[in-house]
Amino acid sequence: MQVYISVVGVGTEREDLNRLAYEVGRLIAERGAVLVCGGLGGIMDAAAHGAKEAGGMTIGILPGPSRVGSSKHLDVAIPTDMGHARNALVIRAADAAIAIGAGYGTLSEIGLALKMGKPVIGLKTWVLYREGKEDEGIILVDTAVEAVEAIFRIIQQREGDL
Amino acid sequence: MQVYISVVGVGTEREDLNRLAYEVGRLIAERGAVLVCGGLGGIMDAAAHGAKEAGGMTIGILPGPSRVGSSKHLDVAIPTDMGHARNALVIRAADAAIAIGAGYGTLSEIGLALKMGKPVIGLKTWVLYREGKEDEGIILVDTAVEAVEAIFRIIQQREGDL
Amino acid sequence: MQVYISVVGVGTEREDLNRLAYEVGRLIAERGAVLVCGGLGGIMDAAAHGAKEAGGMTIGILPGPSRVGSSKHLDVAIPTDMGHARNALVIRAADAAIAIGAGYGTLSEIGLALKMGKPVIGLKTWVLYREGKEDEGIILVDTAVEAVEAIFRIIQQREGDL
Amino acid sequence: MQVYISVVGVGTEREDLNRLAYEVGRLIAERGAVLVCGGLGGIMDAAAHGAKEAGGMTIGILPGPSRVGSSKHLDVAIPTDMGHARNALVIRAADAAIAIGAGYGTLSEIGLALKMGKPVIGLKTWVLYREGKEDEGIILVDTAVEAVEAIFRIIQQREGDL
């Protein structure tokens, strides 16, 4: 079955993060996986851009009622009119998530993915502590290559376990 | 901008309706539009099948939490884990809807589409009366060709009006 | 367990329908049931008004992001920011639905309730035909008293069947 | 306008956290606010219990399709059949949130609340770092009294600013 990977991150433009997201998108597409994102700007647009340049399939799940204003790099744009509740759909649609940067929406998506038992890889994202200890739910890495390799390693492991 | 059309109908198998759905799917794809459906069996699967045979793009928006068990004819399968509330997403995602057959879920989708101001074409579907008069919200036609022609005529008219 | 009943109908003001909704709300509260509605004007406000006058509990499940502008007759107002997708929540929350008048949103709620297997009573609402025959999914009645009696009769029957 | 406060936390039972939640619920009710929660066990049930003992109003917004199995301390139980996407509804329904303990679902609710611009008070909850610095989005306190006082101080400040 085809692999779907969500790339989640802020909609504002930050060049260093966008470059990471672009690279992550490209690598996801090169591995033949479908890219899912929130369909707007910033990380979402950059990841979709990278995936399209590598010939991949890109899906944006939008918070608003129409496709107007969504990223130009989407094969499929799905308006939901559900506001921030669409974050749950972005995560639900994928087998694993890569979080880039540290916005509050991204935090919600990390929480939802971990709650649903989906692997989460983090790049320059939140570091979480509870009861005085760093939580190891997010697998923190430093490069796009490590992020995508980690995700496929985990997915293959899980399939092997079945 | 690309046109998205939802084909809505029951998930149970009825050969005459499935044949109509297959034909509708094929014609939608031939016109270059994206097919959206609920991603399960019956009308949904048949429409996606027709669209794929004509080289189109097909999207299924699923009620359950995973892609397992969805139609084989989908390019993109989006599990929502939202149960029947996903009907609103199937309609929201498209510019217009074609309803085939007369299930209760289909009735809800017709209502949602008309409420959102989206054109609805009906094939062997519900006929609605209020205050003793037939309601003209659904444009009732007899063949797949008429359905798809009607939908594109209305969409072009609306674009002309802008 | 307490009974919850949704009253669904248009948000525009029509005096004859509002009077029916008010009466239905009053009778629901007199029977000790919780009233659920969409939380806006017209039928929703009138039903909540009636229920409050009879000392009942009233819940409004709103399409927008805040409680501002909701009916004054609600004990509990729940903004969803989910637009028309909230119609599924209005139906999901209740054990049965009473539809008053014939709007398209109401049609969607009738379809959702029948799909979920919940009883639907209709007052001056849609009459539905499929394959040339009137569908008997909606139990059509003429007065508020008949509507509320029908709903409790069905609910008691179902409980008896368990 | 009445104040609604969400208390979010894990559904598993931990006596120290449940005691905090019970106390928070009681104080919310004493201040005349409505308590919103996810309607299940653990923190949700304990907070509702406290609020009911103090004569408050309690609302549970449930992930499943029915009210069966929800906390006994709810005045209103709203099944959504939306799974974890209901977390967005729990947050959307309230003016502010108090997070108790550090589960992943709670993390998602913290992220959603901060994204929506709603105040979040934390008791024995997540501590968040980004770019090497502790994020100050969550107002961390040590006791139930501090939590409820902080939330009302912020809400009153915001109202004063309008």
Side-chain angles (χ1 to χ4, degrees):
Chain A
M1 201 188 263
Q2 191 154 28
V3 172
Y4 285 54
I5 296 173
S6 285
V7 176
V8 298
V10 290
T12 49
E13 307 300 334
R14 246 189 65 183
E15 209 186 312
D16 58 333
L17 297 181
N18 282 0
R19 221 174 307 127
L20 268 175
Y22 176 90
E23 186 72 0
V24 162
R26 215 173 51 72
L27 292 164
I28 286 171
E30 284 175 1
R31 302 286 289 250
V34 174
L35 177 99
V36 179
C37 70
L40 300 176
I43 296 301
M44 304 172 249
D45 180 63
H49 190 182
K52 280 319 299 171
E53 299 257 313
M57 161 81 91
T58 58
I59 304 171
I61 301 181
L62 300 155
S66 90
R67 299 192 297 276
V68 175
S70 61
S71 162
K72 295 177 326 236
H73 302 293
L74 301 174
D75 290 304
V76 172
I78 301 189
T80 64
D81 199 25
M82 280 176 53
H84 300 303
R86 80 82 154 76
N87 291 8
L89 296 175
V90 171
I91 294 302
R92 176 58 72 192
D95 301 303
I98 298 177
I100 301 175
Y104 289 133
T106 310
L107 183 65
S108 76
E109 292 164 314
I110 290 170
L112 287 162
L114 294 173
K115 182 72 181 173
M116 294 181 200
K118 306 196 179 204
V120 179
I121 312 294
L123 276 165
K124 301 192 182 301
T125 193
W126 295 98
V127 179
L128 310 172
Y129 284 79
R130 49 177 169 181
E131 301 187 7
K133 277 187 295 200
E134 191 180 327
D135 183 66
E136 299 184 337
I138 309 174
I139 295 158
L140 298 169
V141 297
D142 291 317
T143 67
V145 169
E146 288 173 280
V148 176
E149 281 185 1
I151 230 162
F152 278 93
R153 199 166 46 239
I154 295 167
I155 289 173
Q156 276 149 21
Q157 234 160 31
R158 294 201 173 184
E159 282 175 354
D161 290 349
L162 295 182
Chain B
M1 199 189 264
Q2 191 155 27
V3 171
Y4 285 53
I5 297 173
S6 286
V7 176
V8 297
V10 291
T12 47
E13 308 300 335
R14 244 190 66 184
E15 207 187 314
D16 58 331
L17 297 181
N18 282 1
R19 221 175 306 126
L20 267 175
Y22 176 91
E23 186 72 2
V24 162
R26 214 172 52 72
L27 293 164
I28 286 171
E30 284 175 1
R31 301 287 288 249
V34 174
L35 178 100
V36 179
C37 71
L40 301 177
I43 297 300
M44 304 172 250
D45 180 65
H49 190 181
K52 281 318 300 170
E53 300 258 312
M57 161 81 92
T58 58
I59 304 171
I61 301 181
L62 300 155
S66 91
R67 300 192 295 279
V68 174
S70 61
S71 162
K72 295 176 325 234
H73 303 291
L74 301 173
D75 290 302
V76 173
I78 301 188
T80 64
D81 198 24
M82 282 176 52
H84 299 304
R86 79 80 153 78
N87 291 7
L89 295 175
V90 171
I91 294 302
R92 176 58 72 191
D95 302 302
I98 298 177
I100 302 175
Y104 289 133
T106 311
L107 182 65
S108 76
E109 292 165 314
I110 290 169
L112 287 162
L114 294 172
K115 182 70 181 176
M116 295 182 199
K118 306 196 180 207
V120 179
I121 312 296
L123 276 164
K124 301 194 183 299
T125 192
W126 294 99
V127 178
L128 310 172
Y129 285 79
R130 52 178 167 182
E131 301 186 5
K133 276 186 297 200
E134 190 181 328
D135 183 66
E136 298 183 339
I138 310 174
I139 295 158
L140 298 170
V141 297
D142 292 316
T143 67
V145 169
E146 288 173 282
V148 177
E149 281 186 358
I151 230 162
F152 278 94
R153 199 165 48 238
I154 295 168
I155 289 172
Q156 275 149 24
Q157 234 162 30
R158 292 201 175 185
E159 282 175 353
D161 290 350
L162 295 182
Chain C
M1 199 188 263
Q2 191 154 29
V3 171
Y4 285 55
I5 296 173
S6 285
V7 177
V8 297
V10 290
T12 49
E13 307 299 335
R14 245 189 67 182
E15 209 187 312
D16 58 332
L17 297 181
N18 282 0
R19 221 175 305 125
L20 267 175
Y22 176 91
E23 186 70 3
V24 162
R26 214 172 53 69
L27 293 164
I28 286 171
E30 284 174 0
R31 301 287 288 252
V34 174
L35 178 97
V36 179
C37 70
L40 301 176
I43 297 301
M44 304 172 250
D45 180 65
H49 191 182
K52 281 318 300 170
E53 300 256 313
M57 161 82 91
T58 58
I59 304 170
I61 300 180
L62 300 155
S66 90
R67 299 193 295 278
V68 174
S70 61
S71 162
K72 294 176 327 232
H73 303 291
L74 300 174
D75 290 302
V76 172
I78 300 188
T80 64
D81 198 25
M82 281 178 50
H84 300 304
R86 81 80 154 78
N87 291 8
L89 295 174
V90 171
I91 294 303
R92 177 58 72 190
D95 301 302
I98 299 178
I100 303 175
Y104 289 132
T106 311
L107 182 65
S108 76
E109 291 165 316
I110 290 169
L112 286 161
L114 294 173
K115 181 71 181 174
M116 294 181 200
K118 306 195 179 207
V120 179
I121 312 295
L123 277 165
K124 300 193 183 302
T125 193
W126 295 98
V127 179
L128 310 173
Y129 284 79
R130 51 177 167 181
E131 301 187 6
K133 278 188 294 200
E134 191 179 330
D135 182 67
E136 298 184 339
I138 310 173
I139 296 158
L140 298 169
V141 298
D142 291 316
T143 68
V145 169
E146 288 173 282
V148 176
E149 282 185 0
I151 229 162
F152 278 93
R153 199 166 46 239
I154 295 168
I155 289 172
Q156 275 148 21
Q157 235 162 27
R158 292 199 176 187
E159 282 174 354
D161 290 349
L162 294 182
Chain D
M1 199 189 264
Q2 192 155 26
V3 172
Y4 284 54
I5 296 174
S6 285
V7 176
V8 297
V10 290
T12 48
E13 307 300 334
R14 245 190 66 183
E15 207 187 314
D16 59 332
L17 298 180
N18 282 0
R19 221 175 306 124
L20 268 175
Y22 176 90
E23 187 72 1
V24 162
R26 215 174 49 73
L27 293 165
I28 286 171
E30 284 175 2
R31 301 287 289 252
V34 174
L35 177 98
V36 179
C37 70
L40 301 177
I43 297 300
M44 306 172 248
D45 180 64
H49 190 183
K52 280 318 301 169
E53 300 257 312
M57 161 82 90
T58 57
I59 304 171
I61 301 181
L62 300 155
S66 91
R67 299 193 295 278
V68 174
S70 60
S71 161
K72 295 176 325 233
H73 303 291
L74 301 173
D75 290 302
V76 172
I78 301 190
T80 64
D81 199 24
M82 281 177 51
H84 300 303
R86 81 82 154 74
N87 291 8
L89 296 174
V90 170
I91 294 302
R92 176 58 72 191
D95 301 304
I98 298 177
I100 302 175
Y104 290 133
T106 311
L107 182 66
S108 77
E109 291 164 315
I110 289 169
L112 287 162
L114 294 173
K115 181 71 181 175
M116 295 182 199
K118 305 195 181 207
V120 179
I121 312 294
L123 276 164
K124 301 193 184 299
T125 192
W126 294 98
V127 179
L128 310 172
Y129 284 79
R130 50 177 168 182
E131 301 187 5
K133 276 186 298 201
E134 190 180 329
D135 184 66
E136 299 183 337
I138 309 174
I139 296 159
L140 298 170
V141 297
D142 291 317
T143 67
V145 169
E146 287 173 282
V148 176
E149 281 185 0
I151 229 161
F152 278 93
R153 198 165 49 241
I154 295 168
I155 289 172
Q156 275 148 25
Q157 235 162 28
R158 294 201 173 183
E159 282 174 354
D161 291 348
L162 294 182

